[in-house]
Amino acid sequence: MRFTEHPILDFERVRGREVTIYFEGKPIKAYEGETIATALHAAGIRIFQHSTKKHRPRGLFCAIGKCSSCLMKVNGIPNVRTCITLVEEGMQIERQDEKPVLPKTSKPPKWKEPPRIEADVVVIGGGPAGMMAAIHARDAGAKVILLDENPMLGGQLVKQTHKFFGKREQFAGVRGIKIAEILSEELKKRDIEVFLETSAIMLLQDGDEKLVVGVRKNKELVEFKGKTVVVATGAMERMIPFENNDLPGVYGAGAIQTLMNTYGVKPGDRVLIVGAGNVGLILAYQLYQAGVKVEAIVEAMPKIGGYFVHAAKVRRLGIPILTRHTILRAEGKEKVERAVVAQLDENWNVVPGSEKVFEVDVIALAVGLRPSIELLHQIGCQIKYVPELGGHVVIRDSRMETTIKGIFVAGDSAEIEEATTAMLEGKIAGISAALAAGVASPGWLKEVEKTQRELEEFRSGPFGRKVLEGLKKVVVE
Amino acid sequence: MNEIPHYLREGYLTVEELKKYVGLPSEERLRQRPVAVPECPQEIPCTPCKEICPTNAVLMEHPNAVPLVDYEKCIGCSLCVQICPGLAFFMVHYIGDKARVTMPHEVLPVPEVGEEVILLNRVGEEVGTGKVVTVIPREKSKGDTPIITVEMPVELAWEVRAVKVVRE
C-alpha cells in the first residue's frame, strides 16, 4: 500500500526512521514523520472507531484535524486526532467503540501559568495565507509568531503536486509542494518563530491586545500574546447526504491527497470521485499518477465546474466525467465496496432506471469546502452567510481586518478560493496587521494597495465573478 | 439558459471546437517546423505561456484572456509546453506522411527515445502506435514537466494528445 515510484514525488527520500506501533496489540511498521492514521492505512486498517449509539464503523475523513472521524485511543488517552498526531516508537493504538473515558491516572494540561510568548503579530495557520502573512508582517517590521496544529508547515500546499496558475511572479508554473518549501525557507530566513503541532483553541481580547490559547502536542498549554492576530485557519471539507456516507472509504478529497501525496500511501485500488470542480479533477489526475484506477468522476451540475484544462488532462487518460450525475448510495459491510450513481434530469431529479454501479473501495467527495471560522466566531467577529464564498464568513474591510479591531483574516478562512488568492490575501493581512500593531511605517500601505490590485486582476475573469459578488456582501469600509 | 459548450459538458475539445476557439496553423506552416497550439479555450487567470515565450508569439490581452498563438512568430521552442500549468500546450509538425506531436508526460514510466508507445486520443481511447523521437526529462524542462515528441501517421496529428507506455 506504500508507493515506491511516483512521477513527481520521492518518498524514499523523506521517510524517516522505521518504528513499530501497536494496533490493538498487533505490531505495525511505521515511519517517523508520518501520522498514526497514515501508518494504519498503510497496514490496511480502515476502521478507526465505531459510533457510540448504532456502532457503525468510522474511518478517516478529512485527514487535516478538522473532523472527528479519526479519533482513537492512543497510549490510553481517548479522542486523539490520529490524522495529525505523529507516530512514536511503541505507541499503543486502540479503536474507540464506546463513549471514551479519560483514565484516572492521566493528567490534563496544567492551566496555571502556562508559558506566555509575546509578539507584535500572531499568525494562526501555516498554510499559504498564514505563511505569506507572517513573512510580510515580519518584513514590515513586526515580531511575528506563527502556530499551526499540523506537524508540518504548508497547509494544503504540501499535497498539491500540480503546477499553480496565475502569473509567474505569483508562483505560476510552480508545484504547490515546491511553493510550501519556498515559503518555509522564507520563514526560516527571517527567524520567525514557528510552533507546530500546536492547536489554537481560544482567541481572547486581553486589554488592547489579543491572547491566543494554544495546546501543544495535546499536552502542553501555551499562551501567545499579540498586538494583532491574523487568522488563517483554512477550510474544511463538505459532506453531502447519501446512504452510507459514513462508511470507512468515503473520504474528503483532501484526505486522499494527504495519504497519497504527503505520505506516499495508496488510499485504495478503485475510486469514484464526486464533484468535477478543480479539486475533484486534480485528484483524479493525481490518483492516475499514483497508479490508482479512477472509475469515474460524477458531477451533479450540467457542466464541469473546475478549469477545463484539468478536465482535459484526465479525459485523455481515459477517466470518464459524468455531468448531471450524482451518487445515490455507498454499499458495503464494514467499508466501501460499491458506489451506486444515477443520472439527474433538468430539475435535479433522479432519472428512473439510470442507476450505474461502480465496484470501488474508495469514494472521494470533492463537493466543496467551507471556511473554518470557529476562532473568529468565538471571539465575536460579525458573521454572515454568503453562499458565493462557501458559507459563513466574517465581515471585514479591504485590508482583511474583521469587525474586531486587530483581528485579521486571510485565505480560505476568509472565503473559499484559490491558493494564489490566499497568498495575496495573506500578504495584505500580514502587512495590515503590522501597521495596526503600530510597528510598520505608513509607507507599507503602498504595498498593500499594489497587492489589492493584483487580487483584483486575478479575480477579473469569469472564475472570479462569483467571489466578487460574494465579497460585495461582506467587505465594508 | 445559456447553451453549455460541448467541451465543458464532456471535458474535451473536438477538432471543430479547436478550430473555432483556437484556430489551427495552416498545412504549409505545419510542414515548415514545429508549431505550438494552445488547447485552452476558457478564460482563466493564467499567463506563464505568454511570459515565457521568447518571440512574443503568445497573444493575451489581459491575464484572464484565452491564449492565442501567432503561428508565424512561433519558433517551435516548446517552452510553453514545458511551463503550462494546465498541460494544455502541444506542438505539431508534419514531416512527409508522418506527424510529430510534442506533449507533456507526467506519468510513469517516461518513455525512452526510440520506444514504441500506444497513442491515446482526447478521451483516452487507443488509436494506434507511435515512436518517441525526443524526450526532455523533468530536470531539463522549464516547468518541471517531462515532455515527449512522438512520431505518428499524419492523420492522427489532431487526435492524439497522450500516450501509454507498456513494457512487457
Side-chain angles (χ1 to χ4, degrees), chain A residues 401-423:
Chain A
E401 191 166 17
T402 67
T403 50
I404 294 181
K405 254 184 131 237
I407 306 257
F408 294 78
V409 67
D412 272 356
S413 54
E415 78 281 312
I416 303 304
E417 218 180 342
E418 296 287 318
T420 307
T421 52
M423 286 190 275

Side-chain angles (χ1 to χ4, degrees), chain A residues 34-325:
Chain A
E34 70 185 15
T35 62
I36 297 168
T38 301
L40 294 181
H41 263 268
I45 297 155
R46 293 265 197 98
I47 301 165
F48 286 14
Q49 49 169 292
H50 288 89
S51 67
T52 45
K53 277 191 190 148
K54 298 201 167 172
H55 305 284
R56 290 175 65 84
R58 293 273 189 274
L60 190 66
F61 179 71
C62 84
I64 53 168
K66 303 233 181 192
C67 73
S68 59
S69 67
C70 73
L71 301 183
M72 298 181 88
K73 202 189 253 188
V74 177
N75 294 337
I77 310 291
N79 287 344
V80 173
R81 292 181 290 178
T82 55
C83 74
I84 58 167
T85 305
L86 298 180
V87 295
E88 282 170 20
E89 180 67 49
M91 254 180 179
Q92 300 284 341
I93 322 290
E94 289 162 81
R95 271 187 192 130
Q96 278 184 193
D97 287 338
E98 284 153 32
K99 205 168 175 197
V101 183
L102 193 67
K104 288 211 169 69
T105 52
S106 73
K107 287 184 185 137
K110 277 190 195 142
W111 285 85
K112 272 185 190 166
E113 289 172 39
R116 176 176 281 200
I117 295 128
E118 298 193 6
D120 297 315
V121 179
V122 176
V123 179
I124 308 173
M131 287 199 287
M132 284 289 275
I135 290 164
H136 288 90
R138 179 79 200 90
D139 286 353
K143 179 176 189 264
V144 180
I145 281 169
L146 183 144
L147 58 143
D148 192 294
E149 60 186 354
N150 285 281
M152 60 179 88
L153 275 174
Q156 309 317 300
L157 291 175
V158 300
K159 57 200 187 193
Q160 306 306 343
T161 53
H162 67 286
K163 301 195 277 189
F164 275 42
F165 293 71
K167 287 184 174 175
R168 290 188 79 200
E169 61 174 30
Q170 299 160 348
F171 299 113
V174 182
R175 298 184 192 283
I177 42 171
K178 184 75 197 160
I179 300 173
E181 282 173 27
I182 294 169
L183 295 181
S184 303
E185 203 47 49
E186 294 294 321
L187 284 171
K188 235 188 242 161
K189 272 191 214 160
R190 287 164 177 78
D191 282 325
I192 293 168
E193 208 175 346
V194 175
F195 289 78
L196 293 175
E197 291 183 81
T198 306
S199 303
I201 58 163
M202 254 194 272
L203 179 52
L204 305 163
Q205 189 77 32
D206 186 6
D208 285 342
E209 306 203 329
K210 318 289 168 200
L211 192 66
V212 180
V213 180
V215 175
R216 204 175 176 188
K217 293 197 166 189
N218 279 332
K219 294 190 196 97
E220 187 195 344
L221 201 68
V222 196
E223 289 181 356
F224 302 93
K225 193 163 181 185
K227 294 185 179 114
T228 57
V229 170
V230 178
V231 177
T233 45
M236 94 175 256
E237 210 96 44
R238 280 184 184 281
M239 166 58 84
I240 48 167
F242 60 89
E243 206 178 316
N244 290 331
N245 66 0
D246 61 338
L247 266 187
V250 177
Y251 300 91
I256 295 171
Q257 291 182 309
T258 297
L259 282 175
M260 197 166 63
N261 298 346
T262 308
Y263 298 110
V265 171
K266 270 191 192 185
D269 295 318
R270 292 174 316 281
V271 181
L272 176 84
I273 297 175
V274 183
N278 276 336
V279 174
L281 297 171
I282 288 169
L283 177 69
Y285 186 70
Q286 293 175 346
L287 282 160
Y288 186 97
Q289 285 179 309
V292 179
K293 179 106 169 51
V294 180
E295 294 291 341
I297 303 172
V298 294
E299 167 60 57
M301 300 280 288
K303 66 169 187 173
I304 284 149
Y307 292 168
F308 162 73
V309 290
H310 283 313
K313 248 162 58 177
V314 304
R315 292 277 352 231
R316 63 183 182 249
L317 297 173
I319 299 170
I321 302 173
L322 308 172
T323 49
R324 269 197 214 284
H325 275 73

Side-chain angles (χ1 to χ4, degrees), chain A residues 282-415:
Chain A
I282 288 169
L283 177 69
Y285 186 70
Q286 293 175 346
L287 282 160
Y288 186 97
Q289 285 179 309
V292 179
K293 179 106 169 51
V294 180
E295 294 291 341
I297 303 172
V298 294
E299 167 60 57
M301 300 280 288
K303 66 169 187 173
I304 284 149
Y307 292 168
F308 162 73
V309 290
H310 283 313
K313 248 162 58 177
V314 304
R315 292 277 352 231
R316 63 183 182 249
L317 297 173
I319 299 170
I321 302 173
L322 308 172
T323 49
R324 269 197 214 284
H325 275 73
T326 192
I327 181 162
L328 291 184
R329 61 182 176 275
E331 290 180 353
K333 259 184 79 121
E334 289 270 272
K335 50 189 183 185
V336 172
E337 291 164 31
R338 251 162 279 109
V340 182
V341 309
Q343 202 184 332
L344 296 172
D345 67 17
E346 292 190 1
N347 301 313
W348 300 78
N349 294 317
V350 170
V351 175
S354 68
E355 288 187 13
K356 286 188 196 74
V357 180
F358 289 101
E359 302 288 328
V360 293
D361 55 356
V362 172
I363 295 169
L365 299 184
V367 293
L369 302 165
R370 68 155 183 85
S372 290
I373 58 159
E374 293 78 5
L375 290 169
L376 297 158
H377 193 182
Q378 172 248 317
I379 196 173
C381 294
Q382 249 187 65
I383 288 165
K384 198 169 180 178
Y385 181 74
V386 185
E388 295 93 329
L389 303 182
H392 286 92
V393 292
V394 289
I395 309 276
R396 72 284 190 143
D397 66 13
S398 62
R399 287 192 228 161
M400 307 308 293
E401 191 166 17
T402 67
T403 50
I404 294 181
K405 254 184 131 237
I407 306 257
F408 294 78
V409 67
D412 272 356
S413 54
E415 78 281 312

